[in-house]
Amino acid sequence: MPALAQSPDAPAEALPTIPVAGEPAAAPSTAAPREESGALAEVIVTARKREERLQDVPVSVQAFSSEQLDARGVQSIRDLAEAVPGMQVTDLGGYNLIYLRGVGTDVFIPSAEPSIATYVDGVYFPSGHSLAQAFGAVERVEVLKGPQGTLFGRNSTGGAVSVWSKNPGQTPETSVQLSYGNYKDAQARVYTNLPLSNALAVSLSGFYNRRDSYYRVDNGSNEQLPPEIGRGGRLKIGVEFSEDLNLVVTGIYARQSGTSTTVSANVNPTPLLGITLPAEIRDYVTTANSEPSLSTITRALYGQLNWHLSGVDTKLLGSYYFVKAFDYVYDFDGTSQPIATYGADDEYQRFVTSELQFTSNADSWGSSWLKWVGGLYYLRSDGGYKPGYLRLLDAVQLPTTEQIGALPLGLGDLVLSLLGNSPIPQDLTFYFTGLLKTEAYSGYAQATASLTSWLDLTLGGRWQRESRKLVTSDVSDGNLNGGLTRLYSFPQEESTARNFSPKVSLDWRPAQDLLIYASFQQGFKSGTYNIINIFKAPTYVEPEKVTAYEVGLKSEWFNHSLRFNTALFENDIHNLQTGFMSFTSGGAINLENAGKARIRGLEVEALWQPLPELDPGLLLGGNLSWLHAVYLDYDDGRGFGELTGLAYKSDCSNPGSPACHPFSGNQIVRTPKLSSTLTLSQSFELGQGTLELAGDWYTNSGYYYLAQNTPDTFEPAYQIFNAHLSYLYQPYGLKLTVYGDNLGDERYNLAQFHTDFGREDSLAPPRTWGLRLNWDF
């Protein structure tokens, strides 16, 4: 069935481009299988929208199969950070903030979309709240490093993460996973594939996760934090209309509730606030008076119509994606005092996309030396807050109309007349309604020509036009009548940006199993508006552009028992988009451009089977990333004064003035200079099964959370050690695993949140352990 498993006439290399796809089932390589006893497993990736061996792709990619993800306990994008050096995933207010090779986004609002494009089955999932953060049952995950502007389009200036699930097929199969660990961590996952006829197949997957919070509340209220609960499902339907025409349709629904990183503790109050409030020094204890919470709902529907013709494969793609966050409460000051609370009653994003794609196949002209892909793409989206809020001084109750009217000497009548007889505010709560609409068009093409048997040239480019419109930006307060009184509205704003992102790559194969490549490419991140505006009008944030240069080597040695890959690169960033959280500088969140930045780095990856004959089950692996990431031109940024803790905006028009606080030369936020992973696994046959013992060690040199690079904004170096022991009983397809994560019980943060009130920390999970059962039949 071509829709479900590729037909002999369909090229195995033809794969969909964004935004949607039912990806063809991973086909085996067309090359002869290796027979050497020391051969490492082949890895098939789709970094160039074609199925290719990882070692044949002139792009920096790390790929993980479903078995590798399970073995390492990777359940979400957040967990990938320990497996991919150079990738940093922090969390803030329930948003996953992803940095890759020093490029990322540090703002947690819908209008500041990530710089690392995330896809599930080719569908663009741009929200940090979305289902893309929880993988469920998948076939593989690919992490593409560096700008991917030509094939992946907008908002991929740092790279892309592609999550692929299985397509329905003609082979019935079912997979069940159950696990239980400390903190009452219970997880269940099921996947099944059902062929209903020769022309119709259906697959269904679902998951349910529940875990108690790592934190406890100590604010005198006897409250308990809710558990983290996630559940969802995915339905895929594959239909074959003819040998050359087929359709795959997918529906996804997921819901998450709990606290995520809305729970935190103020560990370093500002000098003014610290006079009356002590720092919280206890691990996993919060004194927040506003009970933290966050719930999200994700819905997606997407489809791919495939039409195989002689000389070209045509795909028609379409998707609808919606994510909503509600019951969103974050204690903005992080203390037991009722000072400030940030939240949202309705925060959402909605995307509609379509694409027409053309791909060369085996019957195309020049197919022996030329491969190409191209298409047209359209996106429409809207999203924002309806509304969000910032509440100050919870305990302060403003006087009622009757109380004001009762003031003596006619003062009450005077005050009421000055207020224009409008409803009296109930408290000091500011409600902000900010909605942003986007419309984007693009066209793209990329071709690879084999100039000789050992030299390939790739040329590509993507042109795009995007318009952003701030349709609503209102500020209101809650009145005693139970409604909202609009205080003022900021004017609507609209902007249009055009961009062309080129790519050039030269691939040289001087010997078998040796690839040397050099590439030049650019990426484009959309300009936008801040949709949280309380005291100042929104301004347009210019698009971010990244120009990347890279040289790399991919190789295998010693009868395919050693795989060694390395890359040396430079990213030049213009108009780096960055954020700053402060109540006193215009509202809860500021969004601005940081001028120019530069990132230079080196990556090394190795996988070694040291004793292929004596001990073929022994594998050693290692990855390393070194980054030198600095701001080159950032003299007008925002920071907090070390003596007062109050926010400032640097003004270096007079370089010698006290108002000048240049950040040029400082290290880019959320970017460690050094991160590395070492892995070791030993497996051997035991009875009718296989026993495996494995461990991995991750180290991070530390990084800053604010561009001002002061000591209190630094996350110190930390190390994490994970291990597992598993036994696979072959006759029944049963695998039992005992696992332990963060066995050293290391203390490090998923988030530092710096505000006018101090530094709030959200700690990463402590030592966790459990038992996991997999059953495949």
Side-chain angles (χ1 to χ4, degrees):
M1 297 177 62
L4 316 176
Q6 291 205 11
S7 70
D9 296 331
E13 64 198 21
L15 286 170
T17 301
I18 62 167
V20 295
E23 188 221 2
S29 171
T30 56
R34 293 176 178 166
E35 297 181 355
E36 298 91 348
S37 60
L40 300 173
E42 291 284 9
V43 180
I44 302 298
V45 297
T46 58
R48 297 195 294 183
K49 305 305 175 185
R50 302 174 181 275
E51 288 190 344
E52 300 174 288
R53 291 183 178 135
L54 175 66
Q55 294 301 98
D56 294 336
V57 180
V59 179
S60 294
V61 186
Q62 279 190 254
F64 304 89
S65 67
S66 59
E67 293 79 12
Q68 291 171 327
L69 295 171
D70 284 345
R72 301 185 70 133
V74 175
Q75 300 285 339
S76 67
I77 285 181
R78 182 187 300 171
D79 300 329
L80 278 178
E82 296 177 20
V84 183
M87 183 180 190
Q88 190 66 42
V89 183
T90 56
D91 206 317
L92 188 56
Y95 272 80
N96 282 327
L97 304 178
I98 308 173
Y99 275 68
L100 193 55
R101 288 184 170 180
V103 181
T105 300
D106 58 353
V107 184
F108 61 111
I109 59 176
S111 61
E113 295 164 353
S115 303
I116 311 302
T118 303
Y119 300 88
V120 178
D121 288 335
V123 180
Y124 185 32
F125 279 69
S127 172
H129 286 320
S130 74
L131 177 66
Q133 315 310 322
F135 293 158
V138 301
E139 184 174 84
R140 70 182 184 280
V141 174
E142 301 173 13
V143 180
L144 286 66
K145 302 178 181 181
Q148 305 295 323
T150 299
L151 293 181
F152 287 83
R154 64 195 297 273
N155 300 344
S156 59
T157 49
V161 177
S162 292
V163 182
W164 295 102
S165 64
K166 288 185 178 181
N167 266 354
Q170 285 297 293
T171 303
E173 60 175 321
T174 299
S175 174
V176 178
Q177 182 184 97
L178 303 172
S179 69
Y180 189 82
N182 57 337
Y183 297 95
K184 297 181 180 179
D185 187 356
Q187 301 184 25
R189 190 184 75 195
V190 62
Y191 166 82
T192 187
N193 175 73
L194 300 172
L196 302 180
S197 72
N198 291 333
L200 178 65
V202 174
S203 69
L204 178 66
S205 62
F207 70 92
Y208 178 85
N209 305 326
R210 185 208 176 277
R211 174 185 54 76
D212 285 348
S213 175
Y214 303 124
Y215 273 81
R216 67 179 181 88
V217 180
D218 184 14
N219 60 7
S221 66
N222 294 321
E223 295 177 347
Q224 290 187 346
L225 293 173
E228 301 291 330
I229 299 177
R231 58 275 200 198
R234 177 176 60 236
L235 174 67
K236 302 187 78 169
I237 303 173
V239 183
E240 181 184 23
F241 301 106
S242 70
E243 188 177 84
D244 296 323
L245 184 65
N246 53 74
L247 174 69
V248 177
V249 177
T250 305
I252 293 176
Y253 175 84
R255 182 166 183 150
Q256 181 78 30
S257 63
T259 62
S260 186
T261 52
T262 59
V263 58
S264 60
N266 195 326
V267 300
N268 187 21
T270 56
L272 294 179
L273 190 62
I275 296 174
T276 58
L277 293 174
E280 177 56 70
I281 59 174
R282 296 170 293 176
D283 289 343
Y284 302 104
V285 175
T286 179
T287 59
N289 66 291
S290 297
E291 182 178 349
S293 67
L294 174 64
S295 296
T296 61
I297 290 177
T298 301
R299 296 192 295 267
L301 179 66
Y302 52 94
Q304 173 180 301
L305 182 67
N306 307 286
W307 190 14
H308 172 65
L309 297 172
S310 179
V312 62
D313 286 333
T314 303
K315 294 179 174 63
L316 181 61
L317 314 170
S319 74
Y320 170 84
Y321 161 59
F322 175 84
V323 60
K324 174 182 177 180
F326 56 99
D327 292 338
Y328 187 8
V329 180
Y330 191 98
D331 194 298
F332 201 71
D333 59 275
T335 71
S336 60
Q337 299 300 310
I339 300 174
T341 301
Y342 168 84
D345 297 328
D346 186 353
E347 174 197 332
Y348 80 98
Q349 287 179 279
R350 176 168 43 225
F351 290 81
V352 176
T353 64
S354 61
E355 181 173 6
L356 181 62
Q357 178 195 317
F358 304 98
T359 309
S360 65
N361 58 32
D363 298 324
S364 301
W365 177 85
S367 61
S368 61
W369 61 274
L370 181 65
K371 298 178 181 178
W372 51 263
V373 61
L376 302 172
Y377 171 68
Y378 172 77
L379 175 144
R380 186 179 74 250
S381 71
D382 63 281
Y385 296 94
K386 296 196 316 183
Y389 64 85
L390 179 64
R391 183 169 63 246
L392 304 176
L393 304 177
D394 297 5
V396 173
Q397 294 294 319
L398 300 181
T400 65
T401 303
E402 291 75 14
Q403 291 170 331
I404 293 177
L407 293 175
L409 304 177
L411 291 177
D413 293 337
L414 176 61
V415 172
L416 290 175
S417 64
L418 291 175
L419 291 172
N421 293 317
S422 60
I424 304 300
Q426 184 177 20
D427 52 30
L428 294 177
T429 301
F430 298 92
Y431 293 89
F432 47 87
T433 301
L435 299 176
L436 184 71
K437 289 188 176 182
T438 303
E439 190 170 37
Y441 305 84
S442 64
Y444 60 92
Q446 181 168 302
T448 299
S450 298
L451 305 180
T452 70
S453 60
W454 46 266
L455 185 64
D456 287 358
L457 174 66
T458 298
L459 298 175
R462 189 184 195 99
W463 176 88
Q464 50 195 327
R465 177 188 181 276
E466 179 167 302
S467 62
R468 294 273 207 179
K469 184 176 183 180
L470 185 67
V471 295
T472 305
S473 185
D474 297 338
V475 179
S476 308
D477 63 13
N479 57 59
L480 295 178
N481 296 334
L484 297 181
T485 301
R486 182 179 301 173
L487 300 178
Y488 45 87
S489 297
F490 295 112
Q492 295 184 354
E493 298 283 345
E494 186 172 6
S495 61
T496 300
R498 294 174 177 83
N499 173 259
F500 178 75
S501 298
K503 176 183 175 65
V504 180
S505 176
L506 195 62
D507 321 331
W508 179 37
R509 295 173 176 81
Q512 186 177 1
D513 299 319
L514 179 61
L515 167 66
I516 300 174
Y517 66 90
S519 66
F520 161 84
Q521 55 189 334
Q522 291 185 330
F524 171 83
K525 184 178 180 183
S526 308
T528 189
Y529 294 91
N530 185 6
I531 55 176
I532 300 181
N533 305 285
I534 300 178
F535 306 122
K536 59 185 297 186
T539 56
Y540 181 62
V541 181
E542 296 291 335
E544 176 181 297
K545 299 179 182 180
V546 177
T547 301
Y549 310 88
E550 180 173 343
V551 293
L553 176 145
K554 292 187 174 184
S555 63
E556 289 190 352
W557 307 87
F558 309 124
N559 205 24
H560 301 292
S561 64
L562 173 63
R563 180 175 296 156
F564 179 82
N565 301 334
T566 186
L568 186 67
F569 58 88
E570 175 177 304
N571 293 333
D572 293 328
I573 309 175
H574 181 66
N575 282 332
L576 174 66
Q577 294 180 8
T578 187
F580 182 75
M581 280 66 73
S582 169
F583 170 74
T584 58
S585 63
I589 296 176
N590 296 273
L591 187 59
E592 60 189 18
N593 292 111
K596 297 180 181 179
R598 175 174 294 162
I599 303 155
R600 290 172 173 162
L602 170 69
E603 292 174 345
V604 177
E605 175 186 3
L607 183 62
W608 185 29
Q609 193 179 27
L611 303 170
E613 298 291 343
L614 298 177
D615 188 359
L618 178 62
L619 279 178
L620 302 176
N623 300 277
L624 179 144
S625 169
W626 174 83
L627 298 171
H628 181 64
V630 296
Y631 300 103
L632 297 181
D633 181 14
Y634 193 15
D635 292 339
D636 57 353
R638 300 174 190 269
F640 292 106
E642 295 187 43
L643 296 180
T644 64
L646 298 178
Y648 64 79
K649 181 174 175 59
S650 176
D651 180 6
C652 290
S653 55
N654 181 3
S657 72
C660 181
H661 304 276
F663 297 159
S664 299
N666 285 2
Q667 185 175 331
I668 293 177
V669 299
R670 291 177 167 83
T671 304
K673 288 185 177 180
L674 182 68
S675 57
S676 62
T677 299
L678 294 176
T679 62
L680 182 150
S681 66
Q682 173 67 71
S683 62
F684 50 87
E685 300 301 316
L686 182 64
Q688 292 183 282
T690 303
L691 183 69
E692 180 184 67
L693 175 64
D696 57 87
W697 174 71
Y698 171 78
T699 182
N700 188 304
S701 64
Y703 48 90
Y704 290 97
Y705 274 91
L706 292 185
Q708 66 185 97
N709 282 192
T710 49
D712 66 309
T713 69
F714 187 70
E715 180 70 36
Y718 60 91
Q719 301 178 16
I720 305 170
F721 177 67
N722 307 318
H724 75 265
L725 175 67
S726 66
Y727 181 72
L728 172 63
Y729 185 62
Q730 303 273 5
Y732 293 161
L734 284 171
K735 184 177 183 180
L736 185 64
T737 303
V738 179
Y739 66 87
D741 296 331
N742 190 13
L743 292 175
D745 207 20
E746 188 83 335
R747 294 294 184 265
Y748 65 101
N749 286 311
L750 283 178
Q752 283 186 22
F753 187 38
H754 292 264
T755 72
D756 313 87
F757 306 103
R759 166 182 156 178
E760 300 176 44
D761 285 5
S762 292
L763 286 170
R767 180 190 296 115
T768 57
W769 49 265
L771 188 67
R772 183 166 54 242
L773 175 67
N774 290 75
W775 185 24
D776 298 325
F777 58 94

